[in-house]
Amino acid sequence: MIKRDSQKPEDTFQIAYELGKEAKPGDVFCLLGDLGVGKTLFSQGFAKGLGITESVNSPTFTIVQEYDEGRLPLYHFDVYRIEDSEEMEEVGFTDMLYGDGVCLIEWANLIEDILPEHYTKIVIEKDLDRGFDYRLVKVEQI
């Protein structure tokens, strides 16, 4: 497990950017953290690392947003509103998961039963004792 300190939002963006630059076709990144920890900011940095320049926002109501302009397609999922993992098939989850792009899944813990055997787990945690903007970003291969 790699642990990275983020003192400010730009640090979180940079950590994500570096991961995006290294991402390969078929990679799955599962992004976890409480509301307001910076998952959307992380997603924006990750997309930038893939060479995506368009605006990136969490697809909270659409479940998935597809970005094709980078060096690899990005399938950005936000499954916060999913009640049953079977709903993921309605948006083509399996095709995207095993396609030529990269999947970034916010709130992936809600669909653990359908995640692939291997993925990269990213947990972002606040620690208010270390400052309002401080985040600990943990990256682990599962």
Side-chain angles (χ1 to χ4, degrees), residues 9-23 29 31 38-58 67 71 74 76 102 104 106 122 124:
E10 295 82 5
D11 294 343
T12 300
F13 186 95
Q14 184 62 33
I15 293 166
Y17 176 83
E18 292 167 12
L19 286 170
K21 281 192 68 102
E22 300 298 319
F29 294 85
L31 188 52
K39 290 185 297 297
T40 298
L41 178 68
F42 186 96
S43 300
Q44 292 165 344
F46 188 88
K48 189 72 148 184
L50 286 171
I52 296 167
T53 59
E54 65 184 283
S55 178
V56 172
N57 294 299
S58 287
Y67 301 93
R71 64 179 180 82
L74 172 61
H76 181 199
V102 177
L104 178 64
E106 295 186 39
I122 301 159
I124 304 174

Side-chain angles (χ1 to χ4, degrees), residues 46-105:
F46 188 88
K48 189 72 148 184
L50 286 171
I52 296 167
T53 59
E54 65 184 283
S55 178
V56 172
N57 294 299
S58 287
T60 305
F61 294 100
T62 58
I63 301 172
V64 65
Q65 181 66 45
E66 218 173 312
Y67 301 93
D68 292 321
E69 71 165 335
R71 64 179 180 82
L72 296 170
L74 172 61
Y75 307 112
H76 181 199
F77 295 89
D78 182 334
V79 299
Y80 183 73
R81 299 193 185 287
I82 291 290
E83 292 184 23
D84 188 311
S85 57
E86 289 179 15
E87 293 176 49
M88 294 300 288
E89 281 312 307
E90 296 172 19
V91 298
F93 181 68
T94 302
D95 291 339
M96 293 176 196
L97 191 66
Y98 298 105
D100 294 332
V102 177
C103 291
L104 178 64
I105 309 167

